[in-house]
Amino acid sequence: MAVNRSEDDRPDRQLAPGATPHPDRGAGPLAPGRPLNSEHPEGRGPSPRFGHRVSAKVAVCVVFVAGNFMAIMDTTIVNVALPAIGRDLGVDTAGLSSVNVGYLVALAVFIPVSGWLGNRFGTRRTALAALLLFTVASGMCATAGSLEALTGYRVLQGVGGGLLAPVGMTMMLRAFAVAERLRAQQYVMLPTAVAPALGPVLGGWLVDTASWHWVFLVNLPVGVLALLFGLGVLPDFAGPGAPRFDALGFVLAGGGLAAVLYALTAAPERGWGSVGTLVPLVGGVLFLAVLVPWELRARYPMIDLRVAGDQLFGTTQLVLLPTGAAFMGVLYLFPQFLQTDLGYDALHSGLATFPEALGMLTASQIVPRVHDRAGPRRLMVVGGAGAALIIVLLAVLTVTPQPAALYPAMYLLGLSVGLLFASAQNAAFVTIPPSRTADATTLLNMQRQTAGAFGVALAGTLAASLASPAGTGGAFAYRIAFFTLAALCLCASLLALRVSDRRVREAYGVADPCPAPAGSARLRGTAGP
């Protein structure tokens, strides 16, 4: 349902010096009653001490892209270095799972609390603190002399990474007006598109040419430069305030999400019926089930779950869930197929996967140009259906491998998924008022992490369970896994039919009733229910 806001409620509206937001207006990005003056324009916070000529939009884009890029890449780059880490630390490869599990669990625990921290302390402080913690922890990981130390430092990395993406996305939504967000997607898509594919390539090259320590040291120059830049120019985007910490909500949300992700990560190796998988999976699901009624009744909830009742936001999350699972499943499965069946080494399998990143970047440039005419629903339907067809093609290529066809197939997969991602993420927030963006971005990132873990677990389980113990039948196992992931994309395409272009068009009109400037992404005359 479109949110009707008057001209006074627009997040980019400058209030008069000394004015305060109306106490009944929860949609404003500042806490009710906070005084405003010429140095504290609405949605901008205190003027930066240095670099005051850098716009808030540029500052947010640079810090968000840099921080999110490091956090996402760290989920894949370390995998390549695990054998070298094991040899150096004298640990069997099977015992190195804590290195990734520690990072993943910490990431899961702190995603739910990110919105509260941003509203309580401001997005600037929260983002810079998370960036500092992630960068320092990266340096500490490179100096680790034992598995226990490395695991502990990875946990600190996960804390920073769990805060970076939701808080950064909240800043992006508050910095850019609704009609400008599709243009911003060109930069926001960069970490999502490039980081997962670049991680194995860069990690393999660093391990081969230097040492495993460099998969962590590579974060330092990026983190330090982003931190210095942010300290000088990053503005604050204050939220509605967070008067009380919801301790039970934090335990239920963080504990439940961490347990579910841990179970999904362990499932391919331990089996879905093992105690090590079932106990955390069932426990995590129960925690999340109890979380819903508690948060709906809580006076000061950790996450305002009512935001999921927004029709566009709820529908787009249902579309993104199977798409994210299928996409991450393919990124996990495809390099495995190349190495086990086609004899590729780790570096070349990573290079063969990388064209998907180029496809997603191409999609981020296309969507703002065709969004007006096509509408988000058509783009999402076409993107989901196209991804399903490409994954079916990958399944066919397991029967008769054609190396020359792999590169364009991965490019087209990235292009299709990019069309869906960019359109869905934009539509998800057009009817969300600024005061609730922190809750919405928290839920989006919880969904993204769960979807990715489920996709990898599903693909890994199918590939392992359908292959014969003698090592034969691998192509058949990969084929069935690819077909299953294609079915998920097809489901996403069908779910996208529920997206209402009319609601998106109305939301654009309410948020910005003035005529759109040339080239802006606004729906004009798009047909739809």
Side-chain angles (χ1 to χ4, degrees):
M1 180 177 180
V3 175
N4 293 319
R5 285 185 289 159
S6 65
E7 181 71 9
D8 291 338
D9 285 327
R10 288 176 55 193
D12 56 340
R13 179 181 179 270
Q14 301 290 326
L15 298 185
T20 59
H22 193 282
D24 294 330
R25 272 183 208 138
L30 290 177
R34 178 176 175 178
L36 301 175
N37 53 47
S38 59
E39 294 182 353
H40 294 261
E42 183 178 15
R44 294 293 181 267
S47 299
R49 184 177 179 183
F50 304 106
H52 60 278
R53 293 183 179 179
V54 177
S55 72
K57 297 173 184 178
V58 172
V60 169
C61 280
V62 170
V63 174
F64 172 70
V65 169
N68 207 27
F69 190 94
M70 292 190 300
I72 294 177
M73 188 172 69
D74 251 55
T75 61
T76 59
I77 192 173
V78 178
N79 292 333
V80 181
L82 287 179
I85 293 174
R87 289 191 300 268
D88 195 19
L89 301 182
V91 180
D92 185 78
T93 305
L96 291 170
S97 59
S98 62
V99 174
N100 279 337
V101 170
Y103 179 82
L104 183 66
V105 170
L107 197 78
V109 169
F110 279 85
I111 285 176
V113 78
S114 60
W116 185 89
L117 289 173
N119 286 334
R120 176 66 178 83
F121 299 103
T123 55
R124 171 185 162 87
R125 289 181 181 177
T126 305
L128 293 180
L131 188 59
L132 175 63
L133 179 60
F134 188 91
T135 304
V136 170
S138 296
M140 296 170 72
C141 286
T143 65
S146 67
L147 176 62
E148 294 75 17
L150 180 58
T151 301
Y153 299 150
R154 283 284 282 169
V155 169
L156 292 178
Q157 262 194 323
V159 174
L163 299 176
L164 279 173
V167 174
M169 189 174 294
T170 298
M171 290 191 296
M172 293 287 293
L173 293 172
R174 292 177 180 173
F176 287 87
V178 171
E180 299 175 312
R181 288 177 186 168
L182 272 175
R183 295 294 180 187
Q185 287 276 6
Q186 298 174 0
Y187 311 103
V188 175
M189 289 276 288
L190 181 65
T192 305
V194 178
L198 181 62
V201 178
L202 181 60
W205 180 75
L206 289 172
V207 171
D208 290 341
T209 59
S211 70
W212 65 265
H213 304 83
W214 282 92
V215 302
F216 300 108
L217 291 175
V218 72
N219 291 328
L220 296 187
V222 179
V224 169
L225 290 175
L227 186 62
L228 293 176
F229 181 82
L231 285 171
V233 303
L234 188 66
D236 192 27
F237 296 88
R244 185 180 300 172
F245 184 76
D246 178 16
L248 182 58
F250 171 67
V251 171
L252 292 173
L257 182 61
V260 168
L261 293 184
Y262 174 80
L264 292 175
T265 303
E269 180 181 346
R270 298 181 179 179
W272 289 89
S274 67
V275 175
T277 300
L278 284 178
V279 170
L281 181 61
V282 173
V285 171
L286 288 176
F287 268 46
L288 295 177
V290 175
L291 172 71
V292 175
W294 170 258
E295 294 293 81
L296 290 176
R297 290 198 305 264
R299 184 176 181 183
Y300 303 113
M302 174 65 62
I303 308 170
D304 188 356
L305 297 180
R306 295 176 183 84
V307 73
D310 180 273
Q311 194 273 340
L312 275 174
F313 183 81
T315 302
T316 52
Q317 297 317 293
L318 291 177
V319 174
L320 288 170
L321 185 62
T323 308
F327 182 59
M328 293 306 295
V330 170
L331 290 185
Y332 169 81
L333 202 63
F334 185 67
Q336 301 293 327
F337 165 70
L338 293 180
Q339 293 179 52
T340 58
D341 280 41
L342 300 187
Y344 283 44
D345 58 26
L347 178 60
H348 286 87
S349 66
L351 291 173
T353 307
F354 192 75
E356 64 81 17
L358 302 179
M360 290 192 74
L361 292 178
T362 302
S364 70
Q365 304 298 314
I366 292 175
V367 170
R369 292 170 171 79
V370 302
H371 185 269
D372 291 1
R373 294 186 296 275
R377 182 180 59 181
R378 292 188 181 92
L379 291 174
M380 293 162 66
V381 170
V382 170
L389 289 174
I390 297 301
I391 299 175
V392 168
L393 173 62
L394 294 178
V396 173
L397 290 176
T398 62
V399 181
T400 55
Q402 299 291 333
L406 298 176
Y407 294 89
M410 290 305 293
Y411 175 83
L412 292 175
L413 176 63
L415 179 65
S416 299
V417 172
L419 290 176
L420 188 148
F421 275 1
S423 305
Q425 289 189 9
N426 178 72
F429 294 100
V430 294
T431 54
I432 301 296
S435 64
R436 306 181 78 184
T437 52
D439 296 302
T441 56
T442 297
L443 288 176
L444 174 65
N445 280 275
M446 290 175 66
Q447 171 269 121
R448 186 180 69 180
Q449 292 296 329
T450 305
F454 175 74
V456 171
L458 178 64
T461 299
L462 289 173
S465 62
L466 295 176
S468 67
T472 59
F476 172 77
Y478 286 121
R479 187 157 60 253
I480 297 301
F482 278 129
F483 279 134
T484 303
L485 298 176
L488 290 178
C489 284
L490 183 60
C491 288
S493 182
L494 295 175
L495 287 170
L497 293 171
R498 298 182 57 205
V499 174
S500 172
D501 286 346
R502 176 178 56 82
R503 292 181 184 274
V504 177
R505 184 170 62 250
E506 290 174 352
Y508 273 120
V510 170
D512 187 8
C514 300
S520 67
R522 292 267 311 267
L523 282 175
R524 291 185 292 268
T526 303

